[in-house]
Amino acid sequence: MLKFFKVVAILEGISYLALFSNMLFIKPNNFDLYKTLLYPIGMSHGVLFIGYVILATLLKKHQNWDFKTFAIIQLASLIPFGTFYVEKKYCGNV
């Protein structure tokens, strides 16, 4: 399950950056393309975000994470590049 969490963390981070890129770089130049990409990118990010939070909650007991570690892992999902940090630090070489 930790390996699956690692994959979801990486994909969630990529989808978060794709959502920001769509908003910051595509929207000012091509609004029609922005609107076309917004739903699929946003939906995939939303599903991956929910999966990340649920998997982290399930892994809390399995990995014996204390509250501080669990809070860092959850807060990392709100910060760009945060899930990459979690994947590297807490998932190790799975």
Side-chain angles (χ1 to χ4, degrees):
M1 190 147 93
L2 188 61
K3 192 172 194 176
F4 186 59
F5 177 71
K6 182 177 183 173
V7 170
V8 169
I10 291 170
L11 291 175
E12 199 274 336
I14 291 170
S15 71
Y16 197 28
L17 295 176
L19 195 60
F20 274 139
S21 297
N22 186 38
M23 181 181 63
L24 294 174
F25 302 120
I26 297 175
K27 185 178 180 180
N29 300 322
N30 190 342
F31 191 72
D32 291 332
L33 180 60
Y34 162 77
K35 286 181 6 183
T36 303
L37 294 175
L38 184 62
Y39 182 77
I41 294 172
M43 180 61 75
S44 62
H45 172 68
V47 168
L48 288 165
F49 175 78
I50 291 169
Y52 177 90
V53 170
I54 290 171
L55 283 171
T57 304
L58 293 173
L59 280 170
K60 180 182 186 274
K61 185 174 182 180
H62 186 264
Q63 294 296 116
N64 295 322
W65 289 333
D66 60 350
F67 180 76
K68 181 181 175 186
T69 302
F70 181 66
I72 290 170
I73 290 169
Q74 292 292 5
L75 288 173
S77 67
L78 303 175
I79 302 168
F81 301 104
T83 57
F84 300 121
Y85 168 77
V86 166
E87 178 268 329
K88 199 63 148 176
K89 179 162 181 160
Y90 298 105
C91 294
N93 296 325
V94 178

